[in-house]
Amino acid sequence: MAIRILRLNPTLERTGDGRSTHYGKVKNGLFTQPVKLGARSSGWPEHEVDAINAARISGKSDAEIRSLVDQLHAARSGLLATVSDGDGTQREQKAHVARLSGGSRRD
């Protein structure tokens, strides 16, 4: 599974939010924390942005979005093992991300 990191502007384009609104959502637990890419750069995993957008589109409440964000943060620690493991684990992780976002992805 290739993990793509989106910088701020592409993330804002995907969510439709402005900078202040986006960081307000991060502060209030309605969006994941950024991943540090370097001393002065950060971004968001594309699958997390997609999962949160899917939850919004499907009408999830703020409490449900916060729960999803918590799950996405927890799943980050397992991504390294997933990337370094074999193909079966990668498919399992994709299905796990789909379950977090309410989808049924099975590839």
Side-chain angles (χ1 to χ4, degrees), residues 25-41:
K25 287 181 178 180
V26 171
K27 181 179 178 180
N28 291 315
L30 296 171
F31 211 90
T32 53
Q33 293 288 324
V35 174
K36 290 297 284 179
L37 302 174
R40 295 175 47 110
S41 63

Side-chain angles (χ1 to χ4, degrees), residues 13-73:
E13 288 173 13
R14 284 188 178 217
T15 63
D17 291 333
R19 181 183 297 252
S20 296
T21 299
H22 177 74
Y23 281 111
K25 287 181 178 180
V26 171
K27 181 179 178 180
N28 291 315
L30 296 171
F31 211 90
T32 53
Q33 293 288 324
V35 174
K36 290 297 284 179
L37 302 174
R40 295 175 47 110
S41 63
S42 60
W44 288 263
E46 183 177 38
H47 69 274
E48 292 180 4
V49 175
D50 292 343
I52 293 168
N53 281 342
R56 283 272 172 223
I57 290 167
S58 68
K60 302 287 186 198
S61 68
D62 282 355
E64 291 170 313
I65 301 285
R66 283 187 188 93
S67 176
L68 171 61
V69 167
D70 290 343
Q71 292 172 29
L72 291 169
H73 282 146

